[in-house]
Structure formats: C-alpha cells, structure tokens
Amino acid sequence: MAKSLIPVYETAFLNMAIGRSWKVPGVSLIVRWVILAVAAVLAFASTAHAQRGAAPGGTISAVQIQGNVRAEPETIRSYLQLKVGQPYDAAAADRSLKALFGTGLFSDVVIDMQGSTLVVKVTENPIINRVAFEGNNKIDDDKLRDEVQSRARQVFTRARVQADVERILTIYRRGGRYNASVEPKIIKLDQGRVDLVFEINEGDVTGIKRITFVGNEAFGDGTLRGKIRTTESAWWRFLSSDDRFDPDRLNLDRELLRKFYLSEGYADFRVVSAVGELSPNRDGFFITFTINEGERYKFGDVDILTRFQGLDPDVLKGYLLMSEGDWYDAGDVEKTIASLTDVVGSLGYAFVEVRPNIRRNKDLKTVDVTFEIQEGPRVYVERINISGNVRTLDKVIRREFRLAEGDAFSSAKLKRSQERLRALGFFEKADISAAPGSAPDKTNLEVQVVEQSTGDISFGAGYSTTAGVVGDISLRERNLLGKGQEIRLGLSLGTLSTNIDLSFTEPYFLDRNMVAGFDIFRTSNNRQAVANYSDASLGFALRSGWAYSEHTRQIVRYVLRQTNIYNVMPWASYVVQAQAGYSTVSEVSETISWDTRDTRINTTKGWLLRNTLAVAGGIGTEQYVRTSADAAYFYSIAEDFVLTVGGSAGVVLPYNNTYIRLNNLFFLGGDNLRGFAVGGVGPRDAGTTDSLGGQYFYSTTTELSFPLFGIPKELGLLGKAFVDTGSLWGNQASNFGASILDNSLMRVGTGFGIQWISPFGPIRIDYTFPVVYEPWDKTQNFRFSFGSRF
C-alpha cells in the first residue's frame, strides 16, 4: 500500500511497551528494553510482509479503480503518477494520493498493489442537495447564502464547510454579536446526497461595557469619550450601532483622538495602543486607549515666504488663522494652507503649492510655522474620465468640478471637487484620483462613483404649542431622470394648520450656476385663539438663486397668492370682520444671505446675516413694501458651551393710500419671543382683545447652551439659558374706527430650557418668565416642541 501497515496487535504491543510498561513502577529497566526489542522485531516483520505485497519495483500491468460512482475512471487515472508499464514507486503513490485528495471529490483514497495490479479504492464525497440555515432571526437567509461558498449541487467538503462557519461568524461579529455560534449538521440522503444545515445561535449583541483612557491628564475620560465615535452601551442608544465593537471604528477613534489633541496644542500626542477585550462571559467589551499626551505647545513665529515675483507676503498675512501666542492647532494650519492656495490662485498664479515648514522648540514649548508659497510641478488636466454612473448624466458630475480639462492641476481644487460631488447625495461612493496622462506634464482625473437611491418617502410627527399636533408625509426625488433636478410633493396636517405643496428645483438653470424652480401650495390656518378667524391661501411661486461666493447667496422670488379670511366669529373685532373675504397678493422679493455656520442644528460657530426686500402690487389687490433683516452670531466660549446672539427687525408700509390686511402684517410671540403666546405682543382690539398684527417689529435673543452636569454627553441633552426682548407696534385699525391698545414698549422674557436630539427627532422644553410686559399682552410660561422625520 501507499503507507506501511502494522497489525493492530503489534500497534497495541508497541503502545504497551512505550506508553505503559515504560512508566509502570517495579518493572526493571532490562525487562522494558526486552519488550521494546520484541515490538521492533514484530514491526520489522510486518513491514517486510507489506513490502512483499506491494512488490516495490514490480511493473504495473493494470490499474483498477474501485468505489467510484460519479467520478469517471479516466478522471481518476489522470491524477495518478503511476501508469501501466511503469515500476511501482512509493513516492509516486504518495503524490497520487495528495492529488486525488486535492480535487475535493473524495473523502478517502487507498492505493494498493495486488500482485501486478494497482488498485485505487476511493470513497466519494456526497453531493449537497440543499443548504439551509436555522436559528437566524437578525440576518436573513439570502444574505447568509451569498456569503457561504457551499452551494446546492456542489461536492461536499469539510474544509469548505468549516470556512463557511467562519464567514457566518464574521458577519455576526460585524453586527456586534461576538457570542454567536454556528454548528454545521449533515443530513444523509439517498444516492450520495446530503442536506447541509447551519444551526445558528445568534446570541445577544455584544456591546461596549466600558471605555477607559490611560495616560490622559489634560482631559477627563468623559471629554475624550465625546471625541470618539465608539460609545458605551446604554438603553437610549437602541437605534445606534456605535455602541458595538468594531475594529475598523477603533482605528477611526485613534485618528479622532489624534486630531483632537493636535487641535488643542499637543503636538507630540500619540496613541500608544487601543485594545478591545471581550469579557469572560462574552457579554461585552472593555476598550482601553493608552495615550501619551506630551507637552502643550503655542504658536511661535508665524510667517509667509513666497517665491513668486510681485506677491507681497504682508498682504497674505491677513489670511492667517493663527498668531504668535495662540495655542497650537494643526487644523488651523491645514485650513490656512487651503486658504492661501485659493487666494494666491485667484490672483492669477498657477501651479501654486503651499508647504508649511514646522519647527518645534521643545524648550520654549512653541511651534514656529513658515508657509512657503512656491510654484509646484507644471501639470495640466488632460482628461476627466467618469465611470460608474448608470443613471446620472456626465454633465451633472462635471459641473461640480472646480477643475476643467486644460486647467492647471490643483490638489486643493481636486479636494474641493470631491467634497462637492459627495455633497450631492447621489452617490454611495465618489472617489477622484489622478492618473498619468499622455505626457509627463499631463494628468487624467479618474472619477469612480457608485450610485445610490435618490428617491425617498418620509413621514413626520410632532407637537408644539404653536402649531399643535402635526403629521406630515412627503415624496421626494433628488435626481430626477439623472439630471440632478429635485421634485417634491408634501402634505402636512395639523390641528391648527394644513399645508400641501409641490415644488420643482433645477440646480443649474440654463447650464449656469443658478438655481431655478417653482412651488404650488395651499395652506390653511386656524387663528381662532389669536383673533377669532381662520384663513386659507392658494398660490404659486417662481424662484431663482445664485451664489456670489462659498457663503453668500441671493434669491429672487415671485409669488401670486389668493387668501380667504373666513369663519370669522360674530364677537370678533370689527377690524377682523371688515377684512373677511378674498384678497390677492402679487409680490416680488429678493433675499441676500451670508452664512458661515458650521452646521444648521446645534451650531457652535459662525455668522448668519440675511436681508429680504419685497414689493407687492401689480395685478394684486394688495400694495405694500416690506423689508426684514436677521442676524445671528454663534461663539464657542468653551468646550460644549455656545453663546448665541441674534436679532430680527422688519417694517411693512402701504402705498397708494391703501391699508395692509391682517395676513400681510407681522405677528410677535411664541417662537420669536418666548414668554409670550403666539400673537401675544402688539396692537390689540381694546374690546375683544383680538391680536391685529403690526407694521414694525424687532426682537433679540441671547442664549447660552451648555451640557447638563452629571448627564453623559453622548445622551445629547443640552441645557439652555436665554433672554428674549422685542416689540411690535403700528396698525391702521383706526381706519375702521376701532379702539386699539398699542405701544412700542420693549418686552422682556427670560428663562431656561432643555433640548434633546433624540432618536425620534429634536425635543425642546422651555420655561420663561415674562419680565417686562403690558397688561393686555398674552403671556405664556411653558413651551414644548417635538418633531421628527423618518
């Protein structure tokens, strides 16, 4: 045979001699050696017998295949290293064994010489009839079936099944289930077939029990936990997966920690290790970050050195984001590089390259930075090649580029192009890489995109003391016909208001960087609590907008709207009763805004300035001029402490001896002046106390946002303390002979609140104390709002 055979009794004798008698107390050493010698003689005799049966060196006269059912004999013979007419060779027989086992078709193979005939006995692996999964509730069968390699009608092999078990476990570990187990079961069928069943015990989600930091002195564990992506498991995170162990996320956390410390002046910071250890009972991970903070540095000498003729470094120093004595911030260095690259490039200098020369003075704990502006390699963009866009048109992608074919290559513009492309929201993945062109001074930009669904349906629900209970549904397509156009149909139903609107937006009207679109809308409002009437409006709007810069935009809008004031109560003010019925507004407006806020929700820094001017007349029944202005400044006082100072003001004036109707006046109170009800401030009928609106208004707000002591930061709870002021005055109600309560006294409200960005949407509760008010004002202490889209 292909291997030596020792009879069972001889093997047992050997084991007794070596494994047992050798260790039995009281047996002499001579006896043990005698037993071992007898066993060796028996083994030699058996080997000689086996060799005689195999006839080593004898010529093979025939090859006989036994045990095969599905495999053809010629297929088996093709793997043999021994052929008819050749002498038998043990090494060739061994190679033949390995080749046959390597096919995966056989579970057992024996090669034996019987006389001059080479006999090959095989036991075939069964065929898989079906692959099934049991016990999987969190991951469906189709996803698991796509991952495993075993398939129906394939040959069953244990190695492949074991690999499939590991793949299934890997899937569950990605989902945070590290205590999952998989046991493959085989159900034998007739005709050499088997059913392969993976019995899965999914187990519970293996969360993060604790995140600790070793070596941190400047910042506490709580602060550092707020800077990383991974979070500790808690009941309120049931909609998040960040509290599950993920090795890739751990690498991201290392980078986030590095960026945070570098932004705080710790130029020598490094993460020594980041380790995740599974608890002994496998129900959670303990993550430990070992860090070395190093010393904290300040900026030393900050200078600009340029190699371009005619470029004054002193002019560019106004774009530096740091100065000597500031705490070192690596993020400011990167932003300054981008800013200087854009500025110098806009001055007509091509191939700009800004390199920061950073020098650390460990004795002085300072970092000197010199921004060297020099000419980079002269490389031009030869071609922009786009792939992966099945539905989206090429021009939709190209118009987001800050580079065009033939332009001087700029890495800063390339980065900005990629950011703009990803910001579209059309692609799951959008990567841009530079590849060599047809010449050394040319490069091709390779754009790889993976499209994603751009249509969505959203439902919403909420409640506020201003609008009551509100529910809404909207259908939206953000990439209509692959042209980047947006169309939206929305329906909002509430106890106090209803709104239906259809909107269409073309982001690049006439292939220019200009937004154009239209809106068709119908709204109705229940104002019984304010002035004993209801109103409904039907109309459409045309709009167009364009950007002057990254932060400055202008919008021009035309609105044609018909409004009906109805359901006027008999006890309503005579002013309200006189205005019951239909009116038409034909209004042209323009809005210019400057917005540098970092985010729209929970803003921490930046400015928002906005001004709107509107003129109504033409084919409408209403004739007026209205202007309003808004301003807000957000400043981070300290970590998680944000101060907001903002204000609004407006005036609306009639012309051609007309008067301004209720629905075109300003109303103050509620969201824009806390401490007072909606329409709670301003001109009021002395007899009915109905709110009549005003022609002039202003409001200010000063608010401090801060974390709540003892509440985990990742819970998303913020405290608010605020002071609101404002006033509303001016009304033509005297034209109707009504007695009006009206003055411009500044009202003041101060209070506190809590905001929670919950998994269901933002929730805010405010309690305000009206400090300065008139006796006829309608005050309101408590305000609550809750809303979400899902």
Side-chain angles (χ1 to χ4, degrees):
M1 299 180 67
K3 59 180 180 179
S4 298
L5 298 178
I6 301 176
V8 175
Y9 68 88
E10 295 172 4
T11 305
F13 196 42
L14 266 175
N15 289 336
M16 181 183 69
I18 298 174
R20 293 181 181 176
S21 299
W22 205 261
K23 298 179 181 180
V24 175
V27 179
S28 67
L29 182 61
I30 296 176
V31 174
R32 294 174 190 171
W33 278 110
V34 170
I35 293 174
L36 183 58
V38 172
V41 170
L42 290 173
F44 176 78
S46 176
T47 303
H49 173 77
Q51 289 175 343
R52 286 194 301 272
T59 302
I60 300 172
S61 62
V63 177
Q64 185 179 21
I65 309 299
Q66 298 178 357
N68 59 307
V69 177
R70 295 182 304 275
E72 294 293 333
E74 290 305 319
T75 301
I76 297 175
R77 287 190 177 95
S78 67
Y79 288 96
L80 296 177
Q81 303 289 320
L82 298 169
K83 307 295 182 183
V84 174
Q86 294 180 350
Y88 177 85
D89 179 61
D94 185 60
R95 292 194 299 271
S96 301
L97 275 174
K98 293 178 180 178
L100 288 170
F101 274 116
T103 64
L105 299 175
F106 311 105
S107 61
D108 190 23
V109 179
V110 176
I111 299 177
D112 190 14
M113 280 290 290
Q114 297 181 2
S116 62
T117 301
L118 182 69
V119 179
V120 181
K121 297 179 181 179
V122 297
T123 303
E124 293 181 342
N125 277 323
I127 295 295
I128 299 174
N129 179 58
R130 69 184 181 97
V131 178
F133 304 91
E134 294 181 357
N136 53 310
N137 297 318
K138 302 300 181 181
I139 303 177
D140 57 35
D141 288 3
D142 291 338
K143 185 173 182 179
L144 293 175
R145 194 170 285 111
D146 291 340
E147 288 291 331
V148 300
Q149 299 298 314
S150 298
R151 298 282 189 273
R153 295 183 294 277
Q154 275 187 350
V155 176
F156 170 87
T157 65
R158 296 187 180 277
R160 185 184 295 125
V161 171
Q162 188 58 40
D164 290 339
V165 169
E166 291 301 320
R167 288 189 183 93
I168 295 173
L169 289 175
T170 299
I171 296 174
Y172 277 97
R173 287 166 183 165
R174 289 174 188 165
R177 297 178 182 272
Y178 277 79
N179 54 357
S181 61
V182 180
E183 185 177 354
K185 294 292 183 67
I186 300 171
I187 302 175
K188 293 186 177 181
L189 305 174
D190 56 358
Q191 298 179 351
R193 297 174 303 133
V194 295
D195 284 343
L196 176 59
V197 180
F198 292 97
E199 292 186 354
I200 302 172
N201 180 8
E202 296 181 319
D204 296 327
V205 173
T206 312
I208 307 297
K209 280 196 165 187
R210 188 169 63 248
I211 301 175
T212 56
F213 298 86
V214 177
N216 54 312
E217 298 178 357
F219 303 97
D221 284 12
T223 299
L224 297 182
R225 289 191 194 103
K227 301 301 177 183
I228 62 177
R229 182 75 176 273
T230 305
T231 59
E232 293 180 349
S233 298
W235 64 266
W236 60 81
R237 296 197 182 95
F238 59 92
L239 294 179
S240 172
S241 60
D242 289 341
D243 60 344
R244 302 174 187 177
F245 179 75
D246 185 346
D248 293 333
R249 191 186 300 125
L250 211 60
N251 291 330
L252 172 62
D253 292 337
R254 295 171 67 112
E255 181 63 18
L256 292 175
L257 285 172
R258 190 186 71 84
K259 287 185 176 180
F260 169 67
Y261 268 94
L262 288 179
S263 69
E264 295 294 331
Y266 293 88
D268 297 328
F269 172 82
R270 64 188 182 95
V271 178
V272 179
S273 65
V275 180
E277 296 178 318
L278 189 61
S279 62
N281 55 0
R282 304 178 66 86
D283 63 344
F285 275 89
F286 296 92
I287 296 180
T288 303
F289 292 92
T290 303
I291 63 177
N292 184 350
E293 292 180 330
E295 298 291 340
R296 193 178 189 189
Y297 290 78
K298 289 185 176 182
F299 279 109
D301 294 333
V302 181
D303 200 4
I304 296 177
L305 178 64
T306 176
R307 301 183 185 276
F308 286 104
Q309 293 293 332
L311 185 61
D312 187 359
D314 293 333
V315 175
L316 300 176
K317 288 183 178 180
Y319 295 94
L320 295 176
L321 300 179
M322 73 290 292
S323 58
E324 185 177 354
D326 293 344
W327 289 112
Y328 175 74
D329 186 342
D332 284 346
V333 174
E334 295 296 327
K335 292 176 184 177
T336 301
I337 293 173
S339 177
L340 291 175
T341 302
D342 291 341
V343 171
V344 176
S346 65
L347 294 176
Y349 295 91
F351 312 107
V352 177
E353 185 176 23
V354 180
R355 292 184 178 179
N357 184 2
I358 299 176
R359 302 173 303 279
R360 299 181 192 176
N361 303 313
K362 293 190 175 183
D363 295 336
L364 301 176
K365 302 296 187 296
T366 60
V367 176
D368 299 334
V369 182
T370 300
F371 294 94
E372 298 180 356
I373 304 175
Q374 55 190 350
E375 187 177 30
R378 289 181 173 269
V379 179
Y380 297 88
V381 178
E382 182 177 17
R383 291 185 57 82
I384 299 177
N385 300 317
I386 302 172
S387 61
N389 54 317
V390 178
R391 188 164 63 99
T392 306
L393 301 181
D394 275 13
K395 73 173 186 178
V396 174
I397 298 175
R398 288 179 181 274
R399 67 195 185 192
E400 299 301 325
F401 270 72
R402 304 297 91 181
L403 288 167
E405 291 168 345
D407 286 354
F409 176 79
S410 169
S411 58
K413 290 183 178 180
L414 179 66
K415 181 180 178 181
R416 180 58 182 153
S417 300
Q418 182 164 286
E419 291 173 351
R420 290 175 60 88
L421 199 58
R422 292 175 176 174
L424 288 175
F426 300 165
F427 309 108
E428 179 182 340
K429 180 181 179 182
D431 293 327
I432 306 175
S433 59
S438 60
D441 63 341
K442 294 181 180 180
T443 185
N444 294 329
L445 300 183
E446 302 293 337
V447 185
Q448 296 281 344
V449 298
V450 177
E451 292 181 322
Q452 64 181 3
S453 174
T454 54
D456 58 66
I457 177 172
S458 63
F459 300 90
Y463 171 80
S464 73
T465 47
T466 301
V469 178
V470 178
D472 67 78
I473 179 174
S474 69
L475 301 171
R476 185 175 67 154
E477 170 56 52
R478 293 177 287 112
N479 188 15
L480 184 64
L481 303 177
K483 297 180 179 180
Q485 300 165 339
E486 178 177 317
I487 187 169
R488 180 185 180 276
L489 175 63
L491 170 64
S492 176
L493 300 174
T495 55
L496 300 179
S497 65
T498 300
N499 181 40
I500 304 173
D501 67 276
L502 172 67
S503 65
F504 172 81
T505 302
E506 167 58 68
Y508 280 81
F509 185 59
L510 300 178
D511 290 329
R512 298 176 180 272
N513 191 15
M514 176 186 298
V515 178
F518 67 82
D519 303 278
I520 302 173
F521 57 87
R522 186 188 186 282
T523 63
S524 62
N525 299 284
N526 182 343
R527 305 186 190 277
Q528 297 295 331
V530 178
N532 292 304
Y533 74 93
S534 299
D535 65 57
S537 297
L538 176 65
F540 74 90
L542 302 175
R543 49 188 162 76
S544 179
W546 54 92
Y548 292 110
S549 66
E550 194 73 18
H551 304 293
T552 306
R553 298 189 62 85
Q554 185 167 20
I555 298 175
V556 176
R557 180 182 175 95
Y558 171 75
V559 178
L560 182 62
R561 179 183 71 246
Q562 185 182 65
T563 301
N564 179 25
I565 295 179
Y566 67 100
N567 200 19
V568 179
M569 297 293 104
W571 54 84
S573 168
Y574 182 72
V575 177
V576 177
Q577 295 186 36
Q579 297 186 39
Y582 289 91
S583 63
T584 303
V585 171
S586 176
E587 179 186 277
V588 177
S589 65
E590 69 85 24
T591 300
I592 187 168
S593 63
W594 184 60
D595 190 351
T596 64
R597 291 175 295 175
D598 54 349
T599 62
R600 300 295 184 266
I601 300 177
N602 285 343
T603 307
T604 61
K605 61 181 179 179
W607 280 91
L608 172 62
L609 302 177
R610 182 171 52 216
N611 175 256
T612 300
L613 176 65
V615 178
I619 63 175
T621 60
E622 309 303 299
Q623 297 179 336
Y624 60 81
V625 177
R626 181 177 61 235
T627 183
S628 61
D630 306 284
Y633 175 61
F634 302 86
Y635 177 70
S636 181
I637 300 175
E639 185 181 4
D640 299 327
F641 285 79
V642 179
L643 177 66
T644 304
V645 180
S648 300
V651 57
V652 55
L653 299 172
Y655 63 91
N656 287 342
N657 296 318
T658 59
Y659 69 91
I660 304 174
R661 296 172 65 88
L662 288 169
N663 51 295
N664 298 318
L665 292 169
F666 297 112
F667 286 82
L668 191 63
D671 292 333
N672 56 7
L673 185 60
R674 287 167 290 191
F676 299 86
V678 176
V681 173
R684 190 175 300 278
D685 189 299
T688 65
T689 70
D690 288 342
S691 179
L692 304 177
Q695 294 178 251
Y696 312 91
F697 90 96
Y698 69 87
S699 65
T700 70
T701 182
T702 303
E703 181 176 282
L704 178 64
S705 175
F706 54 90
L708 296 176
F709 179 75
I711 302 297
K713 179 181 177 181
E714 55 269 21
L715 184 59
L717 276 172
L718 293 174
K720 306 284 185 176
F722 55 86
V723 176
D724 287 357
T725 67
S727 185
L728 174 71
W729 71 97
N731 192 286
Q732 298 170 289
S734 58
N735 296 344
F736 301 93
S739 178
I740 303 299
L741 301 172
D742 182 21
N743 67 35
S744 59
L745 175 72
M746 182 176 68
R747 276 69 161 183
V748 180
T750 183
F752 55 89
I754 296 177
Q755 180 180 349
W756 180 30
I757 307 300
S758 74
F760 308 102
I763 297 175
R764 174 149 182 169
I765 301 173
D766 290 326
Y767 193 89
T768 312
F769 302 93
V771 178
V772 179
Y773 56 92
E774 290 287 5
W776 59 80
D777 292 338
K778 291 187 178 181
T779 61
Q780 182 184 69
N781 300 108
F782 178 79
R783 291 191 63 77
F784 171 81
S785 64
F786 157 66
S788 176
R789 303 184 67 82
F790 45 88

